[in-house]
Amino acid sequence: MSPLWLLAAIAVFALIGAALGRNRALSCVNGNIAELHSRPGYYGSYVMIWTALPAIFFMVAVLIAQPFFNSSIIDSELRTGYSLSCDREMARIEGDADAKVPAICADKEQYETLDTRRALMKSVVESVAVGVSLLDKATADKLHNGLVAVRPTLKEVGVALAEDVPTPVVDAANRLNEAKKTGGYILLGGVGLLLVIGLAISYLRVSPRLRARNLVETNIKVALVLASSIAILTTIGIVMSMLFEAIHFFNKVSLSNFFFGTQWDPRFTSAGRAGGGEGSFGLLPLIWGTLYISLVALLVAVPIGMFAAIYMAEYASNTVRAIAKPLLEILAGIPTIVYGFFALVTVGPFLRDTGAAIGLDISANSVLTAGCVMGIMLIPFISSLSDDIITAVPQSLRDGSLGLGATKSETIKKVILPAALPGIVGSILLAASRAIGETMIVVMAAGIAANLTLNPFEAVTTVTVKIVSQLTGDLEFNSPQTLVAFALGITLFVITLGLNIFALHIVRKYREQYD
């Protein structure tokens, strides 16, 4: 039974429990609600919660543990199968001096020594297991006994394999299907048993003196705390996953090469070239390109966005505001790849031709091109949020300033904007974070060349672009060229965290002044 059907069954049992709990509470007092500690609905909620909660926890635990259990089964079966097949082949050719090492023995050695080979074979076993589950019993038996070839047989049921697989893989796939079937029975039986036990115990506990309301509200409070912890736990998980892989990277590449290097060339180089045998992983060109493009984008977005926000909040009529603000916010919904095409086809050639007309050598892929287009993309982030923040400034501040003789523009500059400064800083920070994390616009508008230059008319690249480029391709996962992506990611996270801390300091400093 699929998890969705189990959830549906749990929901049905929970609703039944809610009805039974409410009816039991009423029957205990013969319908006199005044004798109950809580309202009848709380008793129903109490039974519903404790009917569903244990079953849900058990189901989640089984679903989380099952992939690890299946992986261990595959590993054990493959090791045993490869060893038996290799020993059988070696016994068959024993005494033949001219015999070569059997292919199955070479497969065994690769599986035991190479992490990538183990991961690949586990993936193949899972694919074969899916295909075997789609076969009829007669064909599955022939496949298990080696009477038919694996690859063409599974191809008939829509499972494509790159090459035919040895017998240990088929045996492991059959064992995996048996384990999945057993796990399904355990899951179904455990959930059903816990539903019955939870319903029975919680139902029997219902009595007029049971503090059902307190218990239900405590459970709800715990659920709210867990929900609010998800973001924190997710952040911790992301940081830890990047940090561990970054540590593996720094075990292979020196810190000085990464943090203080001015050349980005992650390929392995000869001993006589810069970077020695570990390649050149200089971070400075990438950080500079990221900050440079983000700065240009903010120089475009902040003035335009702020002026738009001030106009819509303080000067525009309700009709103009109702039309202009949604149209401006449409910019936030345009995919970044579209902005990239716009930069590649329109903005880049326009800046190049304009520069040529006035004697400037402006590359179509440059900091200026990417910054301008990214700035256009960021305008709604600043204008919309700043507009809402300015509108939220109390009208009493405006009336007081105007009553003292200040003009409208003076009121905006001296009263409204300072009062709204914390929120405005937050909107600018959001725009800066969005700019730092942008990838597609940079790829199409600024290029992929890691240059350390002050010239805004030349091509540069950013950290995010290199993260993508290093994680694509056919490199081994444990190579420095791949692990450097995690080092770049954790570095970018630290930079963003620093921006948040700085913005929080500004917000607190000025918020105290206007509270």
Side-chain angles (χ1 to χ4, degrees):
M1 182 179 289
S2 69
L4 291 178
W5 283 108
L6 282 178
L7 284 176
I10 292 172
V12 171
F13 262 84
L15 292 175
I16 293 173
L20 292 176
R22 185 178 185 279
N23 293 336
R24 179 174 172 82
L26 291 173
S27 64
C28 287
V29 294
N30 296 322
N32 187 5
I33 298 178
E35 296 182 11
L36 294 174
H37 174 273
S38 308
R39 296 184 63 83
Y42 283 106
Y43 293 94
S45 299
Y46 169 78
V47 176
M48 178 179 68
I49 290 173
W50 287 105
T51 298
L53 207 57
I56 291 176
F57 280 158
F58 177 78
M59 184 180 72
V60 171
V62 171
L63 292 178
I64 291 175
Q66 195 169 29
F68 299 99
F69 181 70
N70 291 342
S71 178
S72 66
I73 287 177
I74 294 173
D75 185 63
S76 175
E77 288 294 321
L78 285 178
R79 288 181 185 276
T80 303
Y82 276 131
S83 296
L84 292 176
S85 298
C86 178
D87 293 343
R88 191 181 302 115
E89 289 296 315
M90 293 299 293
R92 185 179 59 83
I93 63 173
E94 187 176 359
D96 187 355
D98 297 329
K100 297 181 179 179
V101 176
I104 193 68
C105 295
D107 290 343
K108 171 193 172 184
E109 183 178 357
Q110 286 185 346
Y111 181 82
E112 292 177 345
T113 56
L114 298 179
D115 293 338
T116 54
R117 181 65 176 177
R118 276 197 295 273
L120 175 62
M121 293 312 298
K122 288 180 180 180
S123 176
V124 172
V125 169
E126 291 175 355
S127 299
V128 173
V130 172
V132 171
S133 65
L134 298 175
L135 297 174
D136 58 81
K137 189 177 185 305
T139 307
D141 291 338
K142 291 181 180 179
L143 188 66
H144 177 68
N145 295 324
L147 301 178
V148 293
V150 178
R151 187 181 180 190
T153 303
L154 296 186
K155 185 178 180 181
E156 295 178 359
V157 292
V159 177
L161 298 175
E163 57 185 11
D164 216 346
V165 295
T167 302
V169 174
V170 180
D171 294 339
N174 290 325
R175 180 69 180 87
L176 178 60
N177 283 335
E178 293 175 1
K180 286 182 177 180
K181 186 180 295 185
T182 303
Y185 291 144
I186 293 173
L187 179 61
L188 181 60
V191 168
L193 182 62
L194 289 174
L195 284 174
V196 173
I197 293 175
L199 176 59
I201 293 177
S202 57
Y203 176 80
L204 294 175
R205 286 198 63 191
V206 172
S207 66
R209 295 298 90 195
L210 179 68
R211 299 176 178 271
R213 183 186 64 188
N214 297 348
L215 295 173
V216 170
E217 290 180 351
T218 300
N219 291 329
I220 293 175
K221 182 179 179 180
V222 171
L224 294 176
V225 171
L226 292 176
S228 62
S229 303
I230 289 177
I232 300 174
L233 296 176
T234 301
T235 302
I236 293 174
I238 292 173
V239 173
M240 290 297 102
S241 64
M242 291 191 298
L243 185 60
F244 290 142
E245 300 300 336
I247 292 173
H248 293 159
F249 169 75
F250 289 121
N251 288 334
K252 300 182 179 183
V253 176
S254 64
L255 291 172
S256 59
N257 185 351
F258 182 71
F259 286 107
F260 303 107
T262 58
Q263 180 182 359
W264 176 264
D265 184 14
R267 297 171 296 176
F268 279 116
T269 55
S270 60
R273 295 179 57 189
E278 63 182 21
S280 298
F281 296 91
L283 176 66
L284 293 181
L286 307 185
I287 291 293
W288 173 250
T290 300
L291 298 179
Y292 201 179
I293 292 176
S294 299
L295 176 62
V296 174
L298 291 177
L299 290 177
V300 173
V302 171
I304 298 176
M306 285 302 304
F307 290 158
I310 292 171
Y311 170 74
M312 288 189 294
E314 299 296 327
Y315 292 102
S317 64
N318 291 334
T319 302
V320 173
R321 176 183 169 86
I323 297 174
K325 188 174 181 179
L327 290 177
L328 190 60
E329 291 175 347
I330 288 177
L331 291 175
I334 298 176
T336 55
I337 186 67
V338 176
Y339 282 110
F341 280 124
F342 177 62
L344 183 66
V345 175
T346 304
V347 178
F350 172 76
L351 293 177
R352 180 193 59 201
D353 297 340
T354 303
I358 60 177
L360 295 176
D361 184 15
I362 301 177
S363 174
N365 293 331
S366 63
V367 175
L368 186 61
T369 302
C372 289
V373 175
M374 195 182 297
I376 295 173
M377 180 192 70
L378 297 178
I379 289 174
F381 288 90
I382 296 177
S383 65
S384 182
L385 291 175
S386 298
D387 176 26
D388 295 336
I389 293 161
I390 292 172
T391 304
V393 173
Q395 185 63 33
S396 58
L397 293 180
R398 296 178 175 84
D399 295 339
S401 176
L402 295 173
L404 291 174
T407 64
K408 191 173 185 65
S409 61
E410 289 174 338
T411 299
I412 293 172
K413 289 185 294 184
K414 302 294 185 180
V415 177
I416 296 175
L417 290 183
L421 183 61
I424 293 173
V425 170
S427 67
I428 295 175
L429 173 67
L430 176 63
S433 300
R434 183 71 179 83
I436 290 174
E438 178 52 42
T439 304
M440 289 309 303
I441 293 177
V442 179
V443 171
M444 304 184 73
I448 58 174
N451 293 326
L452 193 61
T453 176
L454 283 171
N455 189 350
F457 304 146
E458 294 183 2
V460 297
T461 193
T462 63
V463 173
T464 54
V465 172
K466 290 305 177 183
I467 290 175
V468 173
S469 63
Q470 296 307 122
L471 289 177
T472 54
D474 56 355
L475 293 173
E476 293 184 358
F477 186 80
N478 59 352
S479 66
Q481 291 88 342
T482 300
L483 294 176
V484 69
F486 297 95
L488 293 174
I490 198 70
T491 304
L492 200 61
F493 174 81
V494 172
I495 293 174
T496 307
L497 179 63
L499 286 175
N500 279 277
I501 293 174
F502 175 74
L504 184 61
H505 170 72
I506 297 295
V507 168
R508 286 180 175 176
K509 177 180 178 180
Y510 287 96
R511 179 172 291 169
E512 293 175 359
Q513 184 175 351
Y514 291 100
D515 276 347

